């Protein structure tokens, strides 16, 4: 951008920039004073800028200081970040109605206003780019975010001041603005040096019809930002930090931080790249009309890791702090190809007890740390390239009719739904759908059979939503969103022996695998099916499994944890079924689903028999909420379970599999 | 009561558990009635709620009285007398689900600050003729006496949370009553942190959300009326406060409407107990 010619806007004419932006149909958002701080808000004109004010920040402290100067942009960073406009705190998602058996759910599509962001710092431009990648890294991007981001014009303002919490220099995001803006400004005492950064910026400059900046003005601007760089120094040793953090998952420092950390979530909510959200449902008293909306949430809240059955993936504060820090500085690279931290220092200043992330990084992952074993395999090389932006479209809710229900066990039922939706019928084994009913939360449900005219969904009643879905009457409608996720790689088992191990309701997502294999039986080697259940009453698809057991071309074995008077079969855990088996693991592709502990034990037993971890596949159940990798709930190390899974190989997961608190 | 339990309770609100038209009661013990009145504050929706439930006991709204049984009983107030101990046990026995509402019922309320002092001294200080005052040595939350199935926090409780609880009850879904910090609400609303920007002591980071962050939105610190949130790290916050405040000052910050709740109580104890001392009763001045 430095090659673009520089123009000069005298201070007294700053209002003309506002007018030009408004003439372009935009509302202007920029810095202003409110409640003892600089915040971003809609501005009428330059009079509302924080002229003559500077900001001092330190860990846990933010103070305004009046200087009496004529300059308007000498403050450092507001508490607000631009995500308030590109990824608002609350966004309505869908409206749902129920009329008898009929269900109608439609996505709410945002029509954001055209905005001009004035005063965007270099670190904030980086943050906008980084968050956009995160919101659009899936196979399905976030339509709301894309619409808002596309509707914003960026007027950057290079920093002329730095404060003790700044560390953009370490993260490689500033203080110089090197792109990502439509217009790039630097404030001098007498006015502003302006350069274009895009065709829209060039149009604006043409409208303003300014004189070229004098060399002394251009040099003055450059000297200012150079002084900022020198002032900040290089507070964080970022080189190799992702790897050092990966090796520090068991650092004693996490416990120590947890004693100070309030888990209040302020760091994540002021962070300009944090994007995690939760969904809330509001309904009328009869549950006939409801709206869902998403709101900012945080990995620091206990509720964020909570799943059906009141289990929690991150019950301890040390787990939550580790999740945040390792995501921001390490697994973000795996997921989105860049750092998740831009060094703006908001998390340092706005921590109510002044925890300084720079200090913690130095203690947890010191530059001198030996490169320990890395807990999950390094991401593939292309994983470190910035994530490609995916196509965005509003969420697609397909209404389907429940034709009939088959009770499977006391708490599990199979819904047979009819649909002609081509995408749903093209579902792959192991994929899931989000099942939506007005007024209820939206659970992710495994597809247990892919038919020519619909899907079977097997649902265990684990909460109010799954109970309500399981209690539907034939003829009732549900809305489905999907199919989602990466399924079982059944093709990879062609020409190999197949071992399928299911625990309880875990048989549901495996049934399409069994059916795919049996449909083309001749293309596979030996096929072995091992079924476990808590009690005989918890066995799934009993008649079908009995029929399979009668066939000569596969081996079926069953076991229960606790027998009843009617049970004449084996008792114990599912791995007992192949403890004494003769088969060798070297030609085996294994597909495993059940409770996580059962899958861990099974994976270990399979490894003992020589099954390749890269050919041992499990499907993870997590607190999937959005289904498309934008809410953050189902994160596991470098993965979003909904988007990158739910099916993973043991080799892919590495030691992230079964690790407590991850 | 832990938040997980509350969710379990809400889950038990599935239709199978609560009849289509549940019999509901509202009763109070030592309290100001403000939480019960929140039910009347639902105004526009009150009639719609009344159509869907059978309100068989609610002294603030109806002269109908009932001895139960109740499908859901809302209980306001702390347990402060022997009579109340007996009465809450009787009510528990006739209530399928017992829900405590407000700071007094869930944490003991403002009156629990006297729990740190000698009852006789307190009584003599407050009442010129203390002979007829029958009181337990401490004002305590309902959950100290009987099992509680769920709670709505606050002083008073939030109309929005009460509505959510009732909607979840009648539609048979899980009530969404977040147990996170007030800070999340401040940040969503764009309220500038009074603690960081103003140096104002604020209990928001350790206090459960639900109030809509009213106090910080008006530029003052949260004083914890919704009580401790999940994972309330009061020790760390008190330690931060202690950098610029004396122990009695820190103790005072936690000595509010939910002072007797475990994390706040521990912090108050660690800083020398609640501030203040009993004063000699004085004759009221002429009006």
């Amino acid at each position: 951008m430095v090659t673009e010619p520089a123009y000069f806007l005298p201070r007294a004419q700053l209002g003309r920039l506002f007018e030009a932006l408004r003439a372009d149909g935009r509302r202007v958002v920029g810095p202003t004073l409110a409640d003892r701080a600089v915040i971003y808000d809609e501005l009428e004109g330059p009079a509302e800028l924080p002229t003559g004010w500077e900001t001092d920040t330190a860990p846990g402290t933010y103070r305004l200081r009046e200087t009496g100067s004529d300059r308007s942009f000498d403050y450092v960073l507001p508490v607000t970040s631009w995500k308030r406009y590109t990824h608002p705190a609350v966004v309505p998602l869908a409206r749902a109605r129920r009329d008898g058996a009929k269900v109608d759910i439609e996505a709410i599509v945002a029509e954001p206003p055209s905005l001009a962001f004035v005063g965007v710092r270099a670190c904030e431009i980086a943050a906008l780019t980084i968050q956009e990648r995160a919101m659009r890294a899936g196979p399905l991007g976030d339509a709301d975010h894309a619409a808002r981001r596309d509707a914003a014009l960026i007027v950057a303002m290079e920093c002329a001041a730095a404060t003790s919490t700044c560390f953009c220099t370490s993260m490689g995001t500033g203080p110089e603005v090197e792109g990502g803006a439509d217009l790039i400004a630097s404030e001098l005492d007498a006015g502003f040096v302006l350069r274009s950064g895009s065709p829209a910026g060039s149009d604006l400059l043409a409208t303003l019809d300014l004189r070229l900046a004098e060399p002394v003005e251009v040099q003055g601007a450059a000297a200012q930002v150079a002084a900022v760089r020198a002032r900040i120094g290089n507070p964080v040793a970022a080189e190799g930090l992702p790897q050092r953090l990966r090796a520090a998952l068991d650092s004693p420092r996490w416990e120590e931080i947890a004693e100070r950390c309030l888990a209040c979530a302020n760091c994540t909510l002021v962070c300009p790249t944090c994007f995690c959200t939760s969904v809330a449902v509001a309904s009328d008293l009869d549950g006939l009309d409801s709206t869902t909306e998403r709101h900012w949430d945080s990995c620091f809240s206990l509720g964020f890791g909570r799943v059906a059955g009141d289990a929690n993936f991150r019950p301890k504060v040390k787990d939550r702090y580790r999740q945040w820090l390792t995501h921001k500085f390490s697994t973000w690279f795996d997921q989105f190809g860049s750092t998740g931290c831009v060094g703006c220092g908001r998390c340092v200043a706005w921590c109510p007890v002044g925890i300084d992330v720079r200090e913690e990084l130095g203690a947890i992952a010191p530059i001198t740390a030996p490169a320990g074993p890395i807990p999950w395999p390094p991401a593939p090389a292309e994983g470190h390239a910035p994530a490609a932006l995916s196509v965005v479209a509003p969420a697609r809710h397909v209404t389907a009719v429940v034709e009939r229900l088959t009770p499977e066990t006391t708490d599990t039922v199979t819904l047979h739904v009819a649909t002609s939706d081509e995408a749903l019928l093209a579902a792959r084994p192991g994929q899931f759908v989000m099942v939506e009913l007005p007024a209820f939360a939206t659970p992710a449900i495994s597809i247990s059979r892919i038919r020519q005219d619909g899907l079977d969904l097997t649902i265990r009643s684990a909460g109010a939503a799954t109970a309500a879905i399981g209690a539907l009457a034939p003829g009732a409608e549900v809305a489905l969103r999907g199919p989602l996720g990466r399924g079982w790689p059944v093709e990879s088992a062609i020409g190999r022996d197949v071992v399928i191990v299911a625990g309880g309701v875990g048989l549901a997502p495996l049934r399409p695998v069994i059916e795919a294999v049996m449909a083309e039986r001749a293309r596979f080697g030996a096929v072995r099916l091992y079924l476990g259940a808590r009690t005989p009453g918890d066995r799934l698809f009993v008649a079908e499994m009995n029929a399979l057991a009668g066939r000569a071309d596969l081996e079926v074995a069953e076991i229960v944890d606790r027998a009843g008077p009617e049970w004449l079969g084996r008792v114990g855990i599912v791995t007992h079924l192949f403890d004494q088996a003769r088969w060798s693991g070297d030609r085996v592709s294994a597909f495993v689903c059940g409770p996580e502990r059962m899958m861990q034990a099974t994976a270990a037993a399979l490894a003992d028999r020589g099954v390749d971890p890269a050919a041992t596949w499990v499907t993870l159940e997590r607190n999937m909420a959005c289904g498309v990798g934008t809410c953050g709930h189902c994160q596991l190390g470098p993965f979003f379970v909904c988007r990158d899974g739910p099916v993973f190989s043991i080799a892919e997961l590495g030691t992230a599999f079964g690790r407590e608190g991850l | 009561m832990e938040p997980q339990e509350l969710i379990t309770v809400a889950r038990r609100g599935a239709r199978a558990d609560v009849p289509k038209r549940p019999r509901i009661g509202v009763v109070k013990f030592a309290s100001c009635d403000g939480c019960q009145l929140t039910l009347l504050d639902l105004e526009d929706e009150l009639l719609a709620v009344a159509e869907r439930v059978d309100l068989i006991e609610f002294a603030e709204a109806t002269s109908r009285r009932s001895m139960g049984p109740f499908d859901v009983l809302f209980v306001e107030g702390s347990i402060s007398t022997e009579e109340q101990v007996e009465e809450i046990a009787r009510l528990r026995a006739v209530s399928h689900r017992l829900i405590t509402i407000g700071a007094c019922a869930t944490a003991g309320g403002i009156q629990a600050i006297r729990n740190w002092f000698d009852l006789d001294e307190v009584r003599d200080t407050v009442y010129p003729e203390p002979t007829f005052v029958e009181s337990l040595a401490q004002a305590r939350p309902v959950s100290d006496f009987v099992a509680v199935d769920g709670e709505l926090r606050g002083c008073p409780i939030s109309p929005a949370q009460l509505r959510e609880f009732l909607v979840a009850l009648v539609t048979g879904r899980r009530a969404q009553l977040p147990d996170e910090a007030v800070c999340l609400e401040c940040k969503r609303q764009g309220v500038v942190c009074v603690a960081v920007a103003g140096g104002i002591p604020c209990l928001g980071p350790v206090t459960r959300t639900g109030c809509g962050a009213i106090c910080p939105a008006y530029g003052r610190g949260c004083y914890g009326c919704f009580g401790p949130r999940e994972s309330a790290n009061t020790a760390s916050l008190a330690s931060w406060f202690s950098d610029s405040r004396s122990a009695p000052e820190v103790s005072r910050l936690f000595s509010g409407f939910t002072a007797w709740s475990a994390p706040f109580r521990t912090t108050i104890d660690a800083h020398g107990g609640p501030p203040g001392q009993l004063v000699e009763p004085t004759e009221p001045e002429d009006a």
Side-chain angles (χ1 to χ4, degrees):
Chain A
M1 300 305 139
V2 286
T3 54
E4 287 291 322
Y7 296 86
F8 191 80
L9 175 69
R11 177 171 302 285
Q13 294 180 30
L14 183 57
R16 289 180 58 214
L17 175 62
F18 280 70
E19 285 156 23
L21 292 167
R22 258 197 288 277
D24 193 30
R26 298 180 180 279
R27 282 147 55 181
V28 179
V29 182
T32 191
L33 290 178
D35 302 329
R36 312 178 186 96
V38 177
I39 65 163
Y40 291 140
D41 206 346
E42 230 175 292
L43 302 182
E44 289 298 317
E48 291 168 295
L49 293 168
T51 304
W53 290 87
E54 291 185 6
T55 44
D56 294 325
T57 62
T61 308
Y62 175 105
R63 293 290 182 274
L64 287 174
R65 184 159 42 80
E66 191 161 17
T67 61
S69 118
D70 289 338
R71 294 168 63 111
S72 301
F73 294 90
D74 275 351
Y75 64 90
V76 179
L77 282 171
V79 55
T80 343
S81 75
W82 298 104
K83 78 175 176 185
R84 176 161 291 283
Y85 297 92
T86 55
H87 184 46
V90 180
V91 170
L93 294 179
R95 194 173 292 112
R97 278 182 210 90
R98 179 210 290 279
D99 182 7
K102 290 250 166 254
V103 163
D104 179 29
I105 299 187
E106 55 179 326
I108 296 171
V109 181
E111 288 171 17
S114 290
L115 300 178
F117 297 166
V118 172
V120 186
R121 305 300 194 186
C123 61
E124 297 185 305
I125 292 172
L128 285 165
T129 307
I130 287 170
Q131 196 179 55
E132 179 171 29
R133 274 188 221 133
M135 296 301 285
R136 293 182 62 178
L140 297 170
D142 186 75
D144 187 87
H145 182 277
R148 292 177 198 276
R149 178 66 189 84
D150 291 347
L153 182 130
I154 309 288
V155 180
M157 187 68 60
E158 276 196 329
C159 289
T163 178
S164 77
T165 49
C166 290
F167 60 107
C168 61
T169 48
S170 296
M171 306 318 293
T173 60
E176 304 84 3
V177 176
E178 283 167 356
D182 297 288
L183 209 55
I184 301 162
S186 296
E187 183 179 33
L188 302 176
D189 287 351
F192 299 84
V193 175
L194 294 178
R195 285 194 183 89
S196 168
S198 76
S202 300
D203 290 348
L204 270 170
L205 282 177
T207 312
L208 290 170
D209 191 23
L210 303 171
R211 72 162 167 85
L212 285 170
E214 302 290 342
V216 65
E217 290 160 346
V218 174
Q219 286 156 13
Q224 247 177 206
V225 76
V228 167
R229 172 171 286 281
R231 156 102 205 266
I232 297 172
N234 183 19
V236 174
E239 182 69 31
L241 186 57
Q243 291 75 18
R244 294 203 304 279
L245 268 177
R246 280 174 169 219
L249 287 190
D250 296 315
S251 165
R253 183 80 176 190
W254 303 115
E255 291 272 12
E256 199 271 316
I257 300 169
E259 285 177 18
R260 285 175 287 138
C261 174
L262 304 176
C264 61
N266 278 304
C267 49
T268 52
L269 301 184
V270 295
C271 175
T273 68
C274 273
F275 55 86
C276 289
T277 54
S278 283
V279 171
V281 185
S283 79
D284 66 343
L285 281 166
D286 296 311
L288 300 178
D289 254 292
S290 66
T291 52
T292 52
E293 61 179 35
R294 73 169 178 220
H295 51 256
W296 288 352
D297 206 340
S298 169
C299 51
F300 277 96
S301 289
L302 181 67
F304 197 72
R306 200 177 274 143
V307 280
D310 293 336
N312 199 304
F313 288 110
R314 289 181 214 104
K316 296 179 185 150
V317 172
K318 67 165 187 160
D319 299 333
R320 300 180 222 162
Y321 194 90
R322 185 177 69 181
Q323 161 68 20
W324 174 65
L325 201 77
T326 55
H327 190 210
K328 206 94 297 197
F329 293 91
S330 181
T331 50
W332 205 291
F333 283 92
D334 300 313
Q335 293 188 300
F336 310 117
S338 77
T339 170
C341 172
V342 298
C344 72
R346 284 185 177 90
C347 60
V348 181
W350 295 96
C351 172
V353 291
I355 296 174
D356 188 336
V357 70
R358 299 165 298 183
E359 195 182 316
E360 300 310 328
L361 285 169
I364 293 161
I367 192 87
T368 52
I374 287 177
W376 48 77
E382 63 269 24
H384 279 261
L389 299 187
S390 57
V391 176
V392 292
R396 218 173 51 92
H397 306 262
V398 178
T399 303
V401 178
V402 178
E403 290 181 311
R404 61 194 173 85
L405 298 99
T406 307
E408 305 287 356
T409 71
T410 50
D411 64 359
T412 304
V413 63
T414 296
L415 260 62
H416 308 272
V417 301
T419 179
S420 56
D421 183 75
E422 284 179 16
L424 283 172
L425 293 176
R428 305 294 305 152
Q431 286 195 298
F432 63 95
V433 288
M434 306 300 289
V435 181
E436 314 200 27
L437 277 183
F440 284 91
T442 304
I445 303 292
S446 301
I447 298 169
S448 61
R449 174 169 283 156
I450 302 150
R451 309 193 316 267
Q452 291 192 333
D453 59 351
L455 302 173
D456 285 5
L457 306 172
T458 300
I459 297 168
R460 190 163 65 90
S461 172
T466 44
I469 293 164
L472 289 171
E477 289 182 347
V478 290
L480 306 179
R481 195 154 53 81
L484 298 168
R486 184 179 71 155
W488 304 102
V490 181
E491 313 73 38
S492 71
I494 290 170
R496 295 165 62 86
D497 296 342
V498 176
V499 169
I500 295 170
V501 189
V505 76
L507 181 55
L510 284 170
R511 186 166 68 168
V513 178
I514 300 169
E515 294 187 336
V517 169
M518 297 312 285
E520 298 187 64
R521 180 65 191 86
R523 302 181 70 185
F524 298 88
V527 178
R528 300 183 174 91
L529 181 55
Y530 298 113
L531 307 173
R534 266 175 304 168
T535 71
D538 291 314
R539 293 156 70 221
L540 222 53
F541 314 135
V542 176
E544 278 171 56
M545 293 304 122
N546 286 344
L548 284 176
R551 289 176 62 149
D553 57 355
L554 86 166
E555 185 187 315
V556 180
E558 278 195 85
I559 197 163
V560 298
D561 288 350
R562 282 178 286 117
E566 307 288 310
W567 183 252
L568 300 173
R570 295 186 62 178
V571 177
I573 59 171
V574 72
T575 51
H576 290 171
L577 291 174
F578 53 93
D579 276 353
Q580 308 295 325
R582 299 255 176 92
W583 51 266
S584 144
D586 52 10
R587 293 186 62 240
V588 165
S589 285
F591 303 93
V592 183
C593 182
E596 204 145 315
R597 284 190 196 290
M598 167 266 174
M599 291 197 288
Q600 281 170 258
T602 303
L606 290 170
D608 287 347
R609 300 195 71 80
V611 181
D612 183 356
T616 303
W617 301 90
V618 295
T619 183
L620 300 183
E621 200 176 331
R622 276 295 185 279
N623 40 352
M624 293 183 274
C626 73
V628 294
T630 60
C631 79
H633 276 254
C634 65
Q635 186 164 19
L636 173 72
F639 305 112
F640 286 139
V641 171
C642 72
R643 188 193 74 187
D644 305 318
V647 171
F648 294 95
S649 76
I650 294 297
E652 285 172 320
L653 291 172
T655 56
F657 183 46
R659 183 183 274 269
E660 196 187 332
L662 210 57
Chain B
M1 166 149 205
E2 288 305 306
Q4 286 90 339
E5 294 173 56
L6 188 64
I7 284 159
T8 314
V9 170
R11 172 174 308 157
R12 273 195 252 131
R15 285 179 202 281
D17 184 53
V18 171
K20 203 161 177 59
R21 191 178 160 80
R23 288 159 56 89
I24 290 186
V26 185
V27 298
K28 67 156 277 177
F29 292 96
S31 55
C32 75
D33 288 28
C35 291
Q36 298 181 59
L37 291 175
T38 305
L39 199 57
L40 300 178
D41 284 345
L42 292 180
E43 292 179 358
D44 293 350
E45 283 182 302
L46 188 62
L47 287 176
V49 170
E51 282 169 13
R52 288 160 182 80
V53 303
D54 209 356
L55 202 54
I56 58 174
E57 165 77 30
F58 184 16
E60 289 280 7
T62 167
S63 53
R64 286 174 69 190
R65 303 308 300 268
S66 168
M67 298 290 281
F70 303 98
D71 292 308
V72 179
L73 182 69
F74 292 103
V75 179
E76 182 195 275
S78 66
I79 302 300
S80 303
T81 69
E82 279 298 340
E83 276 179 3
Q84 291 175 343
V85 174
E86 288 166 23
E87 179 62 3
I88 191 64
R90 182 192 74 77
L91 287 166
R92 173 71 268 188
V94 296
S95 301
H96 180 48
R97 293 166 56 191
L98 189 151
I99 310 297
T100 47
I101 58 171
C104 299
T106 59
I110 195 74
Q111 61 271 32
I113 291 178
R114 76 167 165 83
N115 295 357
W116 273 275
F117 300 95
D118 178 77
L119 174 64
D120 291 334
E121 284 181 32
V122 173
R123 188 166 45 197
D124 292 349
T125 305
V126 176
Y127 295 97
E129 295 270 354
T131 325
F132 301 108
V133 178
E134 295 286 342
S135 180
L136 295 173
Q138 294 185 323
R140 286 156 64 190
V142 171
S143 58
D144 277 8
F145 299 87
V146 298
V148 168
D149 299 308
E151 58 181 21
L152 294 172
R153 302 273 196 90
C155 183
I157 59 170
S158 135
Q161 289 204 340
L162 178 63
R163 181 193 184 279
E164 168 62 16
F165 188 91
L166 291 169
V167 172
L169 180 76
V170 299
T171 57
R173 67 167 168 80
R174 172 193 282 238
Q176 300 160 103
L177 302 171
D179 51 8
E180 67 204 20
V182 173
C183 299
L184 283 100
E185 192 53 36
C186 271
K187 289 293 178 287
R188 289 183 195 122
Q189 289 184 21
V191 171
V192 174
C193 179
V194 297
V196 170
I200 298 169
C202 177
L203 295 191
V206 294
T207 299
R208 185 185 285 198
T209 190
C211 60
I214 300 171
C215 292
Y218 284 93
R220 62 161 292 174
C222 165
Y223 52 88
C225 68
F226 271 63
R229 57 172 276 232
E230 48 82 16
S231 333
N233 190 348
T234 49
S236 173
L237 188 62
S239 160
W240 180 261
F241 289 160
S242 297
D243 283 351
S244 54
R245 287 171 192 84
S246 67
E249 285 174 308
V250 173
S251 165
R252 178 184 290 280
L253 292 169
F254 289 89
S255 299
F257 297 89
T258 55
W260 196 245
S261 61
F264 291 3
R265 187 168 75 212
T266 311
T267 306
I268 293 164
D269 285 339
H271 292 78
Q277 51 187 342
L278 297 174
V279 294
E280 291 300 315
T282 52
E283 291 299 315
E285 291 174 21
D286 287 342

